[in-house]
């Protein structure tokens, strides 16, 4: 306890030193605003163009506003499995040719699926931009669906599940947390899905999914890099303009999670080397005014070694091997969770108490002005680094457009964060970190189990 | 949380802390678009744009410390890397893990600040300060908004030059490393990598043990060991400062002189690591992990040093074989057979030798089939046509500019030039040298650097389920078994 006080005092002194030069440098910390133009084609495709001539490359992404939360019961994992099928050829492109063509011109391409979106992207030498547009439009309009290719790809996805989730200590922790925290909303199930549901998926499902969700009005095309916007918009119109509108409106009817009214406590066993403790709370959606202070809370608790959770559990008390806390801020209300891996010789009860104490402290007393400023500086750092590469710029623009339905947030959030007060942080802690809104999950190692 | 098509990083790793040409082209298409668009054929590209890497501006501080500066003014950031030319290859016998532990301890107390004070001040500035320990080099890397550079530099200098290695923090970090090694027992992919190194290089050569060392060697390291390693290797004569970002040499040099200019010390000459002997004959080794859902396969042997004259042919050959998603190995094992989420190969080229390794995590019940396909691909590596060669070279050469986008990327490229003593015009000549590789050079490089009849095969998997199938391939007279303790021990 004594050394604690000494540390705190020194921190104030150090802070004082660092702070003396703050006013003169603050101006230099904000990055230049993103320059872009946004438009919508007659078929509903949203198009975002942003020039950056610093490197002779261009990044092209297509976001489809469909993710694992759009899956129906019995088909978990399908959005992601479908993402793989988008590489199995279209009318004018052979199966798997998309990736090899991009590779053969020195480009990189990939795709990923989240709970909310499915994103296809490529970064390539600027003179090949027309090729990327041609290929993306071709698979949006004319995907091939082949039974054998589908079955083979299903095996690849099952192997992906084994690699990421099952053959990885703590790999399934996130899916265990969400399974216990949710009752109704599809965030309950993991994006990778279950083996049984993957096995049950059929080629008919693939066709229906493409017809329903892979339509221009559900897509956002973002191009960032070294190109001429006027000429590029003509090219976009040429290749994507002919993709027909969907026959019916895109469904976005996702069941809501009812409010949790009493604490949930769960204890399970997994074949992991050390016990884990999770304290999770339901929070609001991405873009809600409370989501920004919650992001700051995550930084105060666990961005950097001197952040509260890390400092308290790993350094001071030395009861955890590692610990973190952060909000998983998504399109629909999701979770803020704190996790700690228990240091051998200590108990899960000690660790649970310490995690809850850190959350309670945020409710009891405001964070210090210095902690708030540090979190804002860390946010500014993330923000600037997030504007270095064209891929990151594209990500922020598309995220604003698709998730917030407001592209201006790609830049506007900088000011929202810089204006957050300590009172905002205390208010959101009091709103969400209540016992009745909480899940406490304890995962013990299996006795004699596991693959030792 | 994201689930990807290729190889994205996992989402919850808890235990670890991580036109002119265009105008012409588009113009002609814009004219075509007035007529009926033709969707059946790919658009034809124009000539590739030129790569313009900022010049390396070389300066020297008064104590002889080299400073290399690359200006990049797109965002108000600066990256400052202090690179020390010593790494785990310089670990003394019996003290494996010393270089790695020394670098990890740099920011656990330095100058007048404690571990948490360093972290708190750096976090407060919105900066990132990393300490890094690799095989051939170590270092401290600072990334900071340019306006806060003058506040962050003194801390960086303390961390690199004046670490205090407090006893309590050293004990904590040693415990963390021992726990981490314990966790490795359950991480099939990490275990496979360590087992592969152990079989290829043996337990006495430095390369046969992970950079962190073993539980026993980590436990045995003392504060005196760290102080001695730091004194011997962290000296201006064996280091350089790399600066990349929104700065000008004239403004940053006085700052660097102030914080690094009086650094002194002669250090010790660099000991030369023995060149590891090549694998004598093919071996198959199973590390038994009952119940694991996948087999992790690693195949390979000792590779050439980074200075090999075959560097460019090797780069092309490996990209053809398994360096990219569309390479032969992944095409075979993933796309044709669905055995794996991804199959790859790589050369890890170091100052002294290195290794070649091909790898995949495969379905348990397809382990033997996957192994057979690996060897099928090795067997046909010298068969290639002009079209495939050109596609492969374009993959590397046309993709090169994208590796120079961010200050962090630029700094890593510069570190390579420094550590491996590459020529100043290396970046400018790179694309031409890749494009100049012939199929004869690729074939010769393959014959010289790959001999599947002498490759080591390591499989971390469920022995009961895989051994019979693997043995039936008759790749070797017998299948050996290695315990986890043998992989991680000594």
């Amino acid at each position: 306890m004594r050394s604690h006080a000494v540390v705190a005092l020194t921190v104030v002194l150090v802070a004082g030193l660092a702070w003396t030069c703050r006013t003169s440098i603050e101006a230099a910390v904000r990055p230049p605003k993103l320059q872009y133009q946004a438009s919508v084609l007659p078929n509903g495709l949203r198009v975002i163009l942003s020039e950056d001539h610093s490197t002779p490359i261009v990044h092209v992404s297509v976001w489809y506003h469909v993710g694992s939360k759009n899956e129906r019961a019995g088909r978990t994992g399908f959005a992601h499995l479908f993402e793989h099928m988008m590489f199995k050829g279209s009318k004018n492109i052979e199966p798997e040719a998309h990736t090899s063509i991009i590779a053969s011109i020195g480009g990189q391409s990939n795709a990923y699926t989240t709970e909310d979106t499915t994103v296809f992207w490529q970064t390539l030498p600027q003179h090949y931009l027309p090729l990327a547009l041609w290929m993306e439009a071709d698979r949006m309009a004319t995907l091939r669906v082949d039974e054998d290719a589908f079955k083979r790809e299903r095996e690849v996805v099952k192997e992906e599940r084994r690699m990421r989730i099952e053959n990885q200590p703590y790999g399934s922790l996130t899916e265990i947390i969400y399974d216990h925290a949710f009752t109704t909303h599809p965030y309950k199930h993991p994006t990778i899905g279950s083996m049984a549901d993957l096995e049950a998926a059929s080629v008919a499902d693939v066709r229906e999914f493409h017809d329903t969700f892979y339509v221009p009005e559900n897509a956002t095309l973002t191009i960032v890099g070294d190109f001429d916007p006027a000429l590029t918009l003509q090219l976009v119109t040429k290749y994507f303009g002919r993709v027909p509108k969907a026959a019916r409106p895109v469904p976005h009817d996702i069941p809501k999670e009812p409010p949790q009214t009493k604490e949930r406590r769960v204890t399970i066993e997994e074949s992991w080397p050390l016990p884990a403790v999770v304290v999770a709370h339901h929070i609001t959606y991405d873009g809600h005014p409370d989501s920004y202070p919650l992001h700051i809370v995550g930084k105060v608790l666990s961005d950097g070694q001197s952040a509260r959770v890390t400092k308290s559990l790993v350094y001071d008390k030395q009861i955890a091997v590692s610990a973190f806390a952060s909000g998983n801020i998504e399109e629909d209300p999701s979770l803020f969770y704190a996790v700690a891996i228990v240091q051998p010789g200590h108990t899960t009860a000690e660790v649970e108490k310490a995690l809850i104490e850190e959350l309670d402290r945020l409710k009891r007393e405001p964070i210090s002005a210095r902690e708030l400023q540090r979190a804002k500086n860390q946010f500014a750092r993330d923000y600037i680094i997030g504007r270095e590469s064209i891929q990151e710029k594209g990500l922020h623009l598309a995220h604003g457009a698709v998730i917030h339905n407001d592209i201006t947030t790609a830049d506007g959030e900088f000011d929202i964060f810089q204006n957050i007060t300590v009172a905002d942080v205390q208010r959101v802690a009091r709103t969400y970190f209540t016992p009745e809104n909480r899940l406490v999950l304890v995962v013990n190692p299996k006795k004699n189990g596991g693959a030792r | 949380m994201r689930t990807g098509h290729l190889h994205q990083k996992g989402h919850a790793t808890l235990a670890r802390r991580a036109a002119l040409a265009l105008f012409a082209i588009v113009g002609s298409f814009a004219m075509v678009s007035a007529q009926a668009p033709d969707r059946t054929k790919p658009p034809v590209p124009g000539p590739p744009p030129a790569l313009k890497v900022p010049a390396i501006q070389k300066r020297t501080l008064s104590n002889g410390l080299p400073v290399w500066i690359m200006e990049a003014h797109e965002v108000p950031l600066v990256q400052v890397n202090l690179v020390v030319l010593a790494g785990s290859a310089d670990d003394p016998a019996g003290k494996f893990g010393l270089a790695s532990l020394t670098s990890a301890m740099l920011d656990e107390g330095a100058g007048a600040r404690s571990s948490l004070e360093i972290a708190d001040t750096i976090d407060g500035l919105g900066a990132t300060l990393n300490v890094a320990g690799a095989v051939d080099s170590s270092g401290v890397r600072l990334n900071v908004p340019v306006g806060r550079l003058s506040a962050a530099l003194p801390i960086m200098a303390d961390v690199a030059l004046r670490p205090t290695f407090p006893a309590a923090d050293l004990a904590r970090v040693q415990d963390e490393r021992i726990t981490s090694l314990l966790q490795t027992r359950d991480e099939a992919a990490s275990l496979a990598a360590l087992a592969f190194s152990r079989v290829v290089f043996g337990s006495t050569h430095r390369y046969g043990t992970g950079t962190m060392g073993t539980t026993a060697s980590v436990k045995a390291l003392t504060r005196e060991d760290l102080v001695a390693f730091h004194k011997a290797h962290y000296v201006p004569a064996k280091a350089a400062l790399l600066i990349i970002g929104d700065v000008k040499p004239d403004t940053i040099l006085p700052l660097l002189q102030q914080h690094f200019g009086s650094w002194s010390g002669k250090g010790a000459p660099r000991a030369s690591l023995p060149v590891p002997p090549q694998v004598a004959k093919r071996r198959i080794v199973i590390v038994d992990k009952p119940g694991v859902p996948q087999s992790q396969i690693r195949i390979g042997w000792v590779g050439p040093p980074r200075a090999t004259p075959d560097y460019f042919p090797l780069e092309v050959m490996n990209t053809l074989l398994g360096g990219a998603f569309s390479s032969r190995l992944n095409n075979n094992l993933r796309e044709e057979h669905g055995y794996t989420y991804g199959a790859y190969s790589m050369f890890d080229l170091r100052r002294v030798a290195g290794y070649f390794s091909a790898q995949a995590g495969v379905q348990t019940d397809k382990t033997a089939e996957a192994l057979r396909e690996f060897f099928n691909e090795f067997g046909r590596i010298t068969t290639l046509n002009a079209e495939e060669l050109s596609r492969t070279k374009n993959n590397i050469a046309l993709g090169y500019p994208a590796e120079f986008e961010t200050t962090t990327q630029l700094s890593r490229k510069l570190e390579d030039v420094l550590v491996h003593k590459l020529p100043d015009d290396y970046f400018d000549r790179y694309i031409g040298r890749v494009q100049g590789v012939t199929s004869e050079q690729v074939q010769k490089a393959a014959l010289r650097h790959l001999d599947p009849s002498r490759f080591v095969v390591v499989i971390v998997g469920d022995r009961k389920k895989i051994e019979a199938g693997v043995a039936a391939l008759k790749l070797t007279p017998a299948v050996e078994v290695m315990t986890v303790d043998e992989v991680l021990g000594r």
Side-chain angles (χ1 to χ4, degrees), chain A residues 20 62 147 264 278 299 313 402 417:
Chain A
T20 50
V62 183
E147 179 95 40
R264 289 185 194 141
V278 179
K299 293 209 166 293
L313 276 78
V402 175
F417 274 105

Side-chain angles (χ1 to χ4, degrees), chain A residues 367-398:
Chain A
I367 62 169
S368 69
R370 158 146 175 79
E371 277 177 303
L372 180 67
Q373 189 59 49
R374 182 183 66 185
K376 288 180 180 179
N377 289 349
Q378 289 174 315
F379 169 80
R381 169 202 67 198
D382 299 346
Y383 186 92
I384 296 171
I385 290 173
R387 268 100 189 133
E388 257 201 301
S389 74
I390 55 176
Q391 175 159 6
E392 291 262 12
K393 286 192 212 182
L395 177 83
H396 293 298
L397 288 166

Side-chain angles (χ1 to χ4, degrees), chain A residues 25 83 92 103-104 106 111-113 115 127 134 159-160 173 231 234 239 242 322 324 370 374 377 388 390 451, chain B residues 1-5 8 14 26 30 39 45-46 74 120-121 124 147-148 289 336 363 394-395 399 405 407:
Chain A
I25 57 181
E83 171 222 299
N92 299 299
S104 72
Y112 58 87
T113 306
E115 290 83 348
H127 60 304
W134 174 72
E159 214 47 36
E160 181 178 358
L173 183 61
L231 296 172
Q234 288 181 23
Y239 288 119
R242 294 171 75 241
S322 63
F324 78 85
R370 158 146 175 79
R374 182 183 66 185
N377 289 349
E388 257 201 301
I390 55 176
Chain B
M1 270 199 288
R2 48 163 51 179
T3 300
H5 176 62
Q8 304 278 352
L14 298 172
V26 171
R39 284 169 147 260
E74 198 191 337
D120 193 53
T121 313
R148 301 206 176 107
K289 295 285 289 177
E336 277 174 39
Q363 278 174 252
N394 282 340
N395 171 270
E405 224 193 331
T407 49

Side-chain angles (χ1 to χ4, degrees), chain B residues 395-435:
Chain B
N395 171 270
I396 306 167
L398 295 176
Y400 197 59
E403 297 173 24
F404 291 83
E405 224 193 331
T406 67
T407 49
T408 305
Q409 284 176 315
L410 283 164
S411 75
R412 296 302 170 83
K413 291 279 181 202
L414 263 190
E415 285 191 7
D416 273 351
V417 170
L418 178 81
V419 173
H420 296 293
K421 302 188 168 41
L422 304 175
D424 276 10
D425 60 356
Y426 184 76
F427 303 139
D428 297 331
R429 293 189 55 207
Y430 186 95
I431 290 174
R433 296 190 68 176
V434 170
Q435 294 292 13

Side-chain angles (χ1 to χ4, degrees), chain B residues 177-245:
Chain B
R177 294 191 151 214
I178 289 162
T179 305
S180 167
L181 286 166
L182 178 73
Q183 289 176 327
T184 304
R185 303 176 84 89
D186 290 321
E187 291 168 10
S190 315
L191 197 57
L194 289 170
F196 173 77
S197 301
R198 182 52 61 93
V199 176
V200 170
F201 298 106
S203 61
T204 50
H205 193 277
R206 182 64 192 90
Y207 291 172
T209 299
T211 50
M212 215 185 261
T214 64
T215 305
S217 74
V218 171
K219 265 186 196 156
L221 293 172
T222 64
R223 187 175 178 281
E224 288 64 41
D225 292 328
L226 271 65
V227 170
F229 191 89
H230 188 266
K231 191 165 178 236
H233 298 289
Y234 286 66
V235 291
K238 291 163 75 175
L241 269 171
L242 310 180
I243 317 291
I244 299 92

Side-chain angles (χ1 to χ4, degrees), chain A residues 218-293:
Chain A
N218 203 37
T220 299
L221 169 70
T222 307
I223 306 172
V224 187
D226 190 14
F227 62 90
D228 177 275
L231 296 172
T232 298
L233 196 56
Q234 288 181 23
L235 267 183
V236 169
T237 306
K238 173 184 166 182
Y239 288 119
F240 288 89
R242 294 171 75 241
V243 183
K245 289 183 79 129
R248 53 185 192 279
V250 181
H252 283 291
D253 49 342
I254 290 155
K256 287 206 166 34
E257 181 70 17
Q260 182 178 314
T261 50
K262 70 184 233 283
E263 183 185 52
R264 289 185 194 141
R265 300 190 64 88
V266 179
T267 302
I268 58 167
E269 290 187 350
E270 287 288 332
S271 50
W272 299 341
L274 297 169
V277 177
V278 179
V279 177
H281 292 86
H282 290 272
I283 54 167
T284 188
Y285 61 87
D286 189 348
H288 184 283
D290 288 353
S291 66
Y292 302 105

